[in-house]
Amino acid sequence: MKILRFLIPFVSLAVAAAQPAVQPSLTFPLREGWMLQPSTKVTATGEAISSASFGATSQTNGWIQAEVPTTVVAAQVKSKLLPDPFYGMNLRQYPGVGYPVGFNFSNIPMPPDSPYAVSWWYRKEFSLPNRFAGKTVWLNFRGINYRANIFLNGKQIANSNEVAGAWRTYEFNVTSAVKRGTNVVAVQVWAPTENSLAITFVDWNPSPPDKNMGLWREVYLTASGPVALRHPAVLSRVDSPGNNTAHLTVTAQVKNGSDHPVKGTLQGRIENIEFAQPVQLTAGESKDVVFSPDQYPQLNLSHPRLWWPAQMGTPNLYDLHLSFEVNGAVSDASRTKFGIREITSEVAEQAPGRLKRLFKINGKNILIRGGGWTPDMMMRETPERLADEFRYVRDLGLNTVRLEGKLETEEFFEMADRQGILVMAGWCCCDFWEHWGSWKDEDFEIAKSSLRDQMYRLRNHPSLVMWLNGSDNPPPPDVEEMYLKIESDLLWPNPIVSSATAKPTTVTGESGVKMSGPYEYVAPSYWTTDPYFRTTENLCNPGGCGGAYGFNTETSMGPAVPPIESVERMVPKDHLWTVNGPVDEYWNFHAGGGSFKTIQVFTDALNARYGKANSAEDFTYKSQLMTYEGVRAMYEAYSRSKYTSTGVIQWLLNNGWPSMIWHLYDYYLRPGGGYFGAKKAMQALDPVYGYDDHSVWLVSSQYVDAKGLKLEARVFNLDGTRKFSKDIALDAAADSTAKVLELPQIEGLSPAYFLDLRVSDGSGKLVGSNFYWLSTKAETLDWAKSNWYTTPTASYADYTSLAQLPKVKLKVSSRSERAGEDEATRVIVENPGKSVAFFVRLKLDKGKGGEEILPVVWQDNYISLLPGEKREITATYRASSLGAAKPAVEVSGWNVE
């Protein structure tokens, strides 16, 4: 199988993000020109507010100007009515922010005096496009949080009993309400309560005081004939392992917008394959139409171009063309992208009580290696940022992102489809979504409608690898059965997992996954240590034990303190470093919630392992070192033990605000040590050090054999002297892992020493490398004191002698060249000295002394250079981010002058 390797420019990604894969024939976005006002300042009725005369008077003076989608607080921030919520502790000064720091506001009642405890009005005037004349007109809301009354041209078209639920989508037939000339839509929105099926960030970041109330997703009009086409999808089965035939099921919903019965024909085309089916609809009826491959044999395709995740092949996409004809005229039409692939999973017992769920794509095993995704704290998104983040995901080599409850935009899923990134989606934990015992009849209906809307929205996307019906807990039997029926009715094509935990259910049995942590700092050796077979059973967490086995749906080596430039943007100067170092209320505020309100455990480990930090600069640099080490160890342990291990999701991939914890790149899109540790662990041919037995492994994550390889292992003391060297010739089978050697006992090692691993192909080209810093002092874990979020370190490794590394002066040169909208700077860095140049950071600035160019994709970073070694490393970035400046290279390092 051919492996897909590509470098897509930043700009083309952003442009692609703006082009929908499902294209209704006539769409009119209602984006600009909205106005917002709290109901306490409005005395008029919804009928009056939605009249043209209301806007013709001065009654809209003082309303907040906004673009939709936006939450209320996001609109206030954009209008400069509130200070930057991301700087310092500004957010705590917002009106309505009285909940304790680190608490989950979604579970706490909104203060009665909060300006968001009342409803807010959204109002917009628009003119109906001429092309909508004589058509059936539909008004769409892709997300309202949480309840709403909706008015159009003086008429109420929906009330707050009908419009309730953050994860529902709404479409209203407004043909009789719209008119030529000026139209006005007015929406009265109420925030969610602590008993709402809404949006929560759990302990990831604080919540804004409005609980993200508002029109937080797109609003638009569409037009059709009497019958509209909705939710087109192509679902596929593949005859694996040969993969020579695929069986397609095509489905779509047809909606009769008229007040009389309609007969018509639904016609479809996929390349040169055509199919059609007569349909009868009663007045106002909606119906799902299905074309099965049994009834339509032309939907059995020979030699299909399959959709693969990026590391496995090409994410091929096809076009589905559908149209509905009434009396020979097209009533509505759509063009939809889809991929042909089949995703399956199986749960197997690998030891008594130890289960694993293994996923396969088109019959081939895949080790899920991903990160947990979060949207912006105020649910803001731009096509450019979305493209930037996907660029990072691809550059890291991850194959999956997990969405816990925060089910992203259509553009997100379309980009995942195109880029070959799998998406693990499902409901969230830790709020009313999992308080099933408190649900009332209305909540069951909201949950039902929410799931139905999301299934319709997601089922066509080839990137969806699974759906989780619960997160930290599986739903009770009645709710799980309700969910499963909806998923079956709507032909959900992918594996369904009851929750992200190992808790079984009476309905579907074992989940085959675990959520055993950790989330707080753990030493690198944690991941290759498995005390499962120890005699004292309570040493294991409820979901499993330490060690890389099974499928861990969320886990982490702990905090991820960003580089100093990012910390300076979120922490005021007078709090940047105190007598207690980073243990300060401002630093803590930018940590997490719940059990993660400080970074004390991480700080204690850093000071013990690397020597006490003496400044914010020193602390943040050592943090990159420790995070690189920890994240790499986690991913490599799971890779090394495949398919005893079947998946791992780093918690988190990104942040919804500037944070000290849980990310591979920070909110400002600045990649730090964890990013490059993860990227190193994800390389296609990865030479891996085993912290458990001092072994060296070779992990192949590519799906082709690699023959005629050479692995070099070299050990160096701090003074640069070589203490061990061995070369081994070997082959690496596709998708394999193999133990290559065990390092012997080496005499005369310095307290801290280096292991350099390199893999080259038959031509001598370097195809994989790794550089480890190790300690002669054993690092041990206190398993008896484990809890759900960490296993403490009993005895730390000692890297304090790294401070004795002789200083080196590097030779650095660079050249830049432009290719279309992108620019690439090639940096040549050489170590002419006799000592190792350790943990060298390359940074690209907008001119000498200017701001760092971000986002930027570095081929490698935080590198170490052996004596006499020279490397060329490329950085790629958007040329427009330079402005009039020229790129300037800035180099720093552990022992770099």
Side-chain angles (χ1 to χ4, degrees), residues 309 311 366-370 393 397-401 420-423:
Q311 290 86 1
I366 181 169
L367 175 67
I368 300 293
R369 297 186 296 184
V393 171
L398 299 175
N399 57 31
T400 304
V401 293
I421 303 298
L422 296 169
V423 181

Side-chain angles (χ1 to χ4, degrees), residues 668-879:
Y668 306 112
L669 301 182
R670 179 173 282 111
Y675 182 102
F676 293 101
K679 181 173 179 176
K680 186 62 71 173
M682 240 66 69
Q683 60 189 321
L685 291 170
D686 185 24
V688 173
Y689 171 72
Y691 287 90
D692 53 340
D693 60 1
H694 311 292
S695 57
V696 175
W697 295 65
L698 182 60
V699 176
S700 171
S701 298
Q702 59 188 24
Y703 285 75
V704 291
D705 295 340
K707 296 185 180 297
L709 302 176
K710 182 176 76 171
L711 187 148
E712 301 174 78
R714 292 176 287 179
V715 175
F716 295 89
N717 263 348
L718 290 183
D719 62 5
T721 58
R722 185 182 301 189
K723 303 296 293 182
F724 172 82
S725 179
K726 189 164 187 176
D727 296 354
I728 295 179
L730 73 167
D731 298 330
D735 191 28
S736 66
T737 177
K739 188 173 184 176
V740 179
L741 66 99
E742 285 190 18
L743 296 177
Q745 288 284 345
I746 303 172
E747 299 295 329
L749 286 174
S750 50
Y753 61 97
F754 302 118
L755 171 64
D756 182 68
L757 301 175
R758 305 191 184 203
V759 180
S760 53
D761 64 15
S763 68
K765 178 184 176 183
L766 189 69
V767 292
S769 66
N770 239 322
F771 191 86
Y772 296 86
W773 46 103
L774 303 171
S775 172
T776 55
K777 182 185 175 186
E779 194 152 40
T780 59
L781 298 163
D782 193 347
W783 290 100
K785 293 182 180 177
S786 294
N787 56 36
W788 66 272
Y789 57 85
T790 192
T791 294
T793 305
S795 174
Y796 291 108
D798 183 2
Y799 296 114
T800 56
S801 59
L802 288 170
Q804 301 168 14
L805 274 172
K807 293 289 185 182
V808 296
K809 188 172 184 179
L810 301 177
K811 294 181 179 179
V812 181
S813 62
S814 67
R815 66 183 188 277
S816 299
E817 55 190 38
R818 185 162 178 167
E821 300 295 328
D822 277 4
E823 187 151 333
T825 297
R826 303 181 189 279
V827 180
I828 300 172
V829 55
E830 181 180 0
N831 176 13
K834 297 181 179 180
S835 301
V836 171
F838 182 53
F839 213 61
V840 177
R841 180 191 179 191
L842 304 176
K843 186 166 165 264
L844 210 56
D845 299 330
K846 300 174 186 179
K848 190 174 181 180
E851 291 183 358
E852 185 175 2
I853 297 171
L854 294 173
V856 59
V857 170
W858 283 98
Q859 187 179 9
D860 197 3
N861 213 328
Y862 291 96
I863 62 172
S864 295
L865 296 166
L866 297 177
E869 185 176 5
K870 179 195 289 187
R871 288 189 62 183
E872 180 178 302
I873 298 174
T874 301
T876 307
Y877 47 92
R878 197 176 287 110

Side-chain angles (χ1 to χ4, degrees), residues 82-391:
L82 293 171
D84 178 4
F86 294 163
Y87 180 72
M89 296 183 71
N90 282 353
L91 182 61
R92 297 298 301 175
Q93 311 308 316
Y94 278 28
V97 177
Y99 63 92
V101 172
F103 278 61
N104 186 348
F105 187 36
S106 63
N107 294 324
I108 300 173
M110 194 174 282
D113 60 349
S114 169
Y116 314 105
V118 300
S119 61
W120 279 67
W121 284 100
Y122 282 66
R123 184 182 188 274
K124 176 176 171 55
E125 297 184 3
F126 65 94
S127 295
L128 199 66
N130 291 333
R131 64 185 187 278
F132 278 40
K135 299 283 188 180
T136 303
V137 180
W138 310 85
L139 176 59
N140 290 265
F141 294 87
R142 302 303 291 175
I144 299 175
N145 193 22
Y146 181 74
R147 293 184 183 273
N149 290 327
I150 302 174
F151 300 85
L152 180 62
N153 294 333
K155 299 177 183 177
Q156 184 165 6
I157 61 172
N159 63 47
S160 58
N161 292 322
E162 300 164 312
V163 179
W167 298 103
R168 295 177 61 187
T169 60
Y170 303 94
E171 183 172 64
F172 303 102
N173 186 339
V174 295
T175 308
S176 62
V178 292
K179 60 185 181 180
R180 290 185 178 181
T182 301
N183 292 263
V184 182
V185 60
V187 184
Q188 184 182 18
V189 182
W190 283 267
T193 72
E194 68 277 15
N195 297 317
S196 295
L197 297 171
I199 300 167
T200 181
F201 287 95
V202 195
D203 47 14
W204 315 352
N205 53 253
S207 171
D210 66 345
K211 297 190 176 185
N212 281 315
M213 71 181 297
L215 306 183
W216 69 284
R217 284 270 165 89
E218 296 83 357
V219 181
Y220 57 87
L221 294 166
T222 59
S224 69
V227 176
L229 270 174
R230 297 293 180 261
H231 314 303
V234 179
L235 318 171
S236 51
R237 289 183 295 109
V238 178
D239 291 343
S240 298
N243 295 334
N244 291 320
T245 307
H247 311 280
L248 308 185
T249 297
V250 180
T251 182
Q253 185 185 73
V254 289
K255 300 177 69 170
N256 183 2
S258 72
D259 58 1
H260 57 269
V262 173
K263 292 182 180 180
T265 303
L266 180 60
Q267 300 181 347
R269 177 171 58 85
I270 300 170
E271 295 187 341
N272 61 345
I273 300 169
E274 296 184 349
F275 43 93
Q277 186 175 151
V279 179
Q280 297 186 39
L281 296 167
T282 60
E285 182 185 9
S286 296
K287 179 186 291 185
D288 285 1
V289 179
V290 178
F291 298 86
S292 74
D294 294 333
Q295 295 176 310
Y296 296 84
Q298 64 267 47
L299 293 176
N300 297 289
L301 271 66
S302 296
H303 306 292
R305 302 186 305 276
L306 297 181
W307 186 95
W308 295 96
Q311 290 86 1
M312 297 180 75
T314 303
N316 290 300
L317 294 173
Y318 285 77
D319 285 325
L320 166 68
H321 297 268
L322 289 178
S323 63
F324 194 88
E325 292 190 4
V326 179
N327 297 325
V330 174
S331 178
D332 202 4
S334 67
R335 179 173 64 84
T336 309
K337 295 285 185 184
F338 71 94
I340 298 176
R341 93 291 184 268
E342 184 173 8
I343 298 178
T344 59
S345 71
E346 55 191 34
V347 177
E349 187 173 59
Q350 52 193 14
R354 236 165 90 152
L355 301 169
K356 63 176 182 180
R357 183 182 286 267
L358 173 64
F359 284 82
K360 297 187 177 188
I361 299 183
N362 303 327
K364 293 186 178 292
N365 293 344
I366 181 169
L367 175 67
I368 300 293
R369 297 186 296 184
W373 178 283
T374 177
D376 173 82
M377 186 182 79
M378 293 178 286
M379 312 306 289
R380 300 169 300 182
E381 184 178 283
T382 65
E384 185 174 270
R385 185 178 178 96
L386 181 66
D388 292 340
E389 297 205 53
F390 264 87
R391 178 68 176 262

